[in-house]
Amino acid sequence: MKKISIIIVSYNVKEYIKQCIRSIYKSNLNKNLYEIIVIDNDSHDGSINLIAEKFNEVIIHKNEKNEGFSKAVNIGANLSKGKYICILNPDIIVK
């Protein structure tokens, strides 16, 4: 069981989310303790393809329409396996 589920809601933020996920991996967080879940709100900028290609361990859920932030977070929480949930905006850089 993972300790932390990091949920990121995405909507046409390809460059931001790439930097955000990369910063999580470069941080001193132990990779065995967390999972990253991206809930995409029907982006059309190639975000999903980029995440799937560059970060294949990220759990991706693509909504067929923009469900809004709070509903997307709830979808991520339902998919999560962590004891704790951390909600990150895609423009966050973890140090």
Side-chain angles (χ1 to χ4, degrees):
M1 176 181 193
K2 300 291 184 180
K3 189 160 189 161
I4 303 170
S5 295
I6 300 170
I7 299 171
I8 306 169
V9 176
S10 171
Y11 180 68
N12 292 326
V13 289
K14 182 168 125 179
E15 290 305 313
Y16 285 125
I17 201 157
K18 177 174 75 174
Q19 292 174 0
C20 180
I21 294 170
R22 192 173 284 150
S23 76
I24 295 167
Y25 287 145
K26 288 182 177 180
S27 74
N28 63 358
L29 294 172
N30 182 330
K31 288 187 181 188
N32 295 320
L33 296 180
Y34 67 86
E35 64 182 352
I36 300 173
I37 302 169
V38 172
I39 307 300
D40 184 77
N41 268 334
D42 196 29
S43 294
H44 300 292
D45 66 348
S47 298
I48 293 298
N49 291 338
L50 174 110
I51 295 166
E53 289 172 15
K54 300 220 178 257
F55 310 106
N56 60 356
E57 40 310 286
V58 171
I59 299 162
I60 302 169
H61 175 86
K62 181 166 178 41
N63 290 330
E64 296 300 317
K65 65 178 185 171
N66 189 335
E67 299 286 356
F69 181 77
S70 57
K71 188 166 184 179
V73 167
N74 286 333
I75 291 168
N78 286 332
L79 293 172
S80 71
K81 295 181 176 74
K83 182 175 180 182
Y84 303 102
I85 292 176
C86 174
I87 302 166
L88 287 184
N89 285 335
D91 60 346
I92 296 295
I93 302 294
V94 176
K95 296 288 182 176

